[in-house]
Amino acid sequence: MPEAASAAATRATIGDSEFDRDTAVTRRAPGVYDIDLSAGWTIINAVNGGYLLAVLGRALGDALPHPDPFTISAHYLTASRPGPAVVRTETVRTGRTLSTGQASLFQYDDEGNEVERIRVLASYGDLDALPDDVRISARPPAIAPMDQCFGTEDGPAPVDGSSAITDRLMLRLDPATLGWALGRPSGRGEMRAWFGLADGRDADPLSMLLAVDALPPTAFELGLKGWVPTVELTAHVRCRPAPGPLRVSITTRNLAGGFLEEDAEVWDSADRLVAQSRQLARVRLG
């Protein structure tokens, strides 16, 4: 049985899964954490931005007095590589319901110089302490049933090492947003999918930071190819998700000057909007 399928059969739990192990940080000193960034969350040679967001989110969750990310904004300064890294955190303010902190991840370049890869500013609170009142006009995305959607196993075999992250995800892409894979992009700038972790671990606030940046870029449905690096990403975690797969919808309405925005919504199995994000990304034209 393939490793991912075997892991899924036993269903990993929150706190005991590949995602938890690969985002775990070791406190070296107050506000300073070490981590070895896993090659398992890469696209080509670059570490996925959602995985990095979860790494820094975990470090801030340890450094701040509140447990859950409510909002986290990241600026991606240079591409991160698999291997050793250090996260430095700073508490900006603590209050009764929210605490705010910032964090940066650093690595060394080929010349031995320390390089800042990503910097975030975040506010943390306690999702379990929020009131139950919900007033919403948003609706869950129109996405085909999971058994009518397509995974990476349904497409051509990827180039070795090109997208290691897909082996760690359960992604079932809506056929209505898969025109790019057939050479017929729709031009609508939409991407929708069922999302989970391949080992069956249920979603939590940290894994939703991964979910908002784990789908193929909407640029593919606009007829563009190649890497679409994130410049800035802000994620809002709205509530703790119910068990079961998530539904992720991402849209782009404006590509101009070589940059586009991606607006993401994440819905849980109870039809609740559990996370949102917006990012600015760069595209290569021509």
Side-chain angles (χ1 to χ4, degrees):
M1 180 181 293
E3 183 178 350
S6 176
T10 58
R11 289 193 62 83
T13 57
I14 294 174
D16 184 21
S17 73
E18 185 175 29
F19 173 77
D20 296 301
R21 292 188 291 273
D22 287 349
T23 57
V25 293
T26 301
R27 188 192 303 177
R28 183 202 308 174
V32 182
Y33 300 85
D34 293 310
I35 185 170
D36 194 57
L37 297 178
S38 170
W41 304 89
T42 56
I43 300 174
I44 311 298
N45 296 316
V47 181
N48 171 262
Y51 165 72
L52 292 171
L53 201 61
V55 166
L56 275 80
R58 192 174 292 282
L60 281 168
D62 181 82
L64 296 173
H66 291 93
D68 302 314
F70 276 26
T71 177
I72 182 165
S73 296
H75 284 262
Y76 295 82
L77 309 176
T78 56
S80 299
R81 307 172 181 174
V86 60
V87 177
R88 299 193 180 104
T89 68
E90 177 184 346
T91 299
V92 177
R93 180 186 180 275
T94 60
R96 186 174 61 85
T97 58
L98 288 175
S99 55
T100 299
Q102 61 183 13
S104 293
L105 183 142
F106 298 87
Q107 290 186 306
Y108 288 97
D109 64 16
D110 294 337
E111 286 72 44
N113 302 308
E114 190 175 71
V115 178
E116 185 176 8
R117 302 295 195 192
I118 174 176
R119 182 181 299 189
V120 308
L121 182 67
S123 290
Y124 275 57
D126 184 354
L127 289 170
D128 296 328
L130 295 179
D132 294 332
D133 182 52
V134 176
R135 310 178 194 193
I136 186 170
S137 60
R139 293 292 179 266
I143 181 171
M146 191 182 298
D147 61 2
Q148 297 177 23
C149 293
F150 295 89
T152 53
E153 69 277 8
D154 298 311
V159 177
D160 286 344
S162 65
S163 190
I165 189 174
T166 59
D167 293 334
R168 278 140 195 90
L169 302 178
M170 186 288 296
L171 271 185
R172 306 294 296 179
L173 295 164
D174 188 342
T177 64
L178 268 179
W180 58 274
L182 304 174
R184 299 191 298 272
S186 67
R188 290 191 298 268
E190 298 175 349
M191 202 66 63
R192 293 186 295 274
W194 296 87
F195 173 89
L197 293 169
D199 59 13
R201 177 198 189 274
D202 280 321
D204 71 346
L206 280 181
S207 70
M208 290 194 296
L209 300 181
L210 168 69
V212 298
D213 194 43
L215 272 60
T218 56
F220 289 1
E221 274 294 85
L222 293 173
L224 301 174
K225 298 179 180 179
W227 190 33
V228 184
T230 303
V231 176
E232 185 271 346
L233 188 155
T234 295
H236 297 162
V237 177
R238 308 305 303 274
C239 63
R240 200 174 303 280
L246 302 172
R247 286 159 292 172
V248 183
S249 172
I250 305 180
T251 59
T252 290
R253 297 188 301 166
N254 183 47
L255 188 161
F259 292 85
L260 56 76
E261 88 289 345
E262 286 192 340
D263 290 317
E265 292 184 351
V266 181
W267 294 77
D268 72 359
S269 59
D271 281 348
R272 297 179 305 169
L273 181 59
V274 292
Q276 299 163 279
S277 74
R278 165 167 281 202
Q279 68 170 280
L280 184 71
R282 182 165 51 90
V283 295
R284 292 190 173 96
L285 303 173

